[in-house]
Amino acid sequence: MTAEWTALLVAVVGVVGTLGASLLTQSRADRTKRMEMEAAAEQRREERDHARVLLEAERARARAEESIAQRRACYITHNSAARQYLTAQVDFLHALRNDSGVTAALEQLEARRTTHRQSYAEAQMIVPPKVMDVIGTSSRHLNTRYGRLKQIAASTSDSRELLDAFEAGIQYSWTLLSRMRQQMRVDLGVDTQSTQGTD
């Protein structure tokens, strides 16, 4: 019986070993499969995160481009309006000096003033503070000069000296507009540094 028990024991150990090896192999296969699935899930998470980062970067780039396009359009409109406003002031000055075409020049000045005010209101909504400072400075200057010109026009005394004094300040007005335009160009990246030139 000893040989029989030994044979039985060897058979049992062989069966248990075979079953154990199968279970161990299956367990390792399951573990490997689970690790592969976890690695694939992690890969998909990383890809989603990367795609999200790319999407956010693309949106930020699109917003920046849109902002630049809005500011560029605003700058073009305001620069043009400011130049036309100043030109209308000069035209009105010459009409007063020559006492000819005053009514037409005044109507043109009022129209240019209105256009300038509208472009200034738009600028207040989208222009960064550094540029808005120079826009504000030039706008206040133009409006002050407008008021002075209207006072000269309403004056009953000989206004020749007042007109001469007004005319003497025109170059400074152009200089302010040039500084404003330069700051706009710097903001848009057209120029890399702010300079103070003349028109």
Side-chain angles (χ1 to χ4, degrees):
M1 201 139 143
T2 307
E4 290 175 5
W5 281 106
T6 302
L8 183 60
L9 185 58
V10 167
V12 168
V13 168
V15 169
V16 169
T18 300
L19 289 173
S22 294
L23 288 174
L24 184 60
T25 300
Q26 184 61 42
S27 173
R28 286 187 180 175
D30 289 346
R31 183 174 173 218
T32 300
K33 184 70 171 174
R34 192 170 44 252
M35 288 172 59
E36 288 173 357
M37 290 173 65
E38 288 174 358
E42 180 63 27
Q43 176 78 23
R44 286 190 300 273
R45 270 194 301 275
E46 288 176 4
E47 288 172 358
R48 278 194 308 270
D49 290 346
H50 182 67
R52 189 178 312 115
V53 167
L54 289 178
L55 181 61
E56 289 172 4
E58 178 61 25
R59 286 178 179 164
R61 186 190 61 75
R63 282 191 303 270
E65 286 179 0
E66 182 180 347
S67 176
I68 287 174
Q70 285 179 335
R71 290 195 322 267
R72 181 181 295 117
C74 177
Y75 292 163
I76 290 168
T77 300
H78 188 74
N79 183 55
S80 177
R83 292 174 60 84
Q84 290 173 359
Y85 187 23
L86 178 54
T87 300
Q89 289 181 12
V90 172
D91 291 346
F92 187 55
L93 165 76
H94 291 306
L96 289 173
R97 184 182 300 280
N98 298 329
D99 197 26
S100 170
V102 174
T103 303
L106 179 58
E107 288 173 2
Q108 185 69 14
L109 176 59
E110 293 300 334
R112 298 301 185 203
R113 179 174 178 258
T114 300
T115 301
H116 179 261
R117 287 176 58 138
Q118 290 168 344
S119 70
Y120 183 78
E122 179 187 1
Q124 288 178 312
M125 296 295 108
I126 62 175
V127 173
K130 187 173 183 178
V131 181
M132 199 62 221
D133 286 346
V134 294
I135 289 175
T137 298
S138 66
S139 292
R140 284 187 298 277
H141 175 77
L142 289 174
N143 288 329
T144 299
R145 300 274 292 169
Y146 165 83
R148 184 67 186 128
L149 197 52
K150 291 284 287 201
Q151 288 174 346
I152 294 170
S155 174
T156 56
S157 64
D158 182 25
S159 58
R160 192 115 353 239
E161 288 180 17
L162 298 174
L163 291 171
D164 290 344
F166 185 89
E167 188 170 18
I170 290 174
Q171 184 56 45
Y172 180 68
S173 299
W174 285 115
T175 299
L176 284 179
L177 294 187
S178 180
R179 289 176 186 166
M180 176 190 72
R181 185 180 58 252
Q182 182 65 31
Q183 193 62 51
M184 291 172 175
R185 292 172 57 88
V186 168
D187 181 53
L188 293 175
V190 176
D191 289 335
T192 56
Q193 59 183 342
S194 180
T195 59
Q196 294 182 358
T198 60
D199 193 54

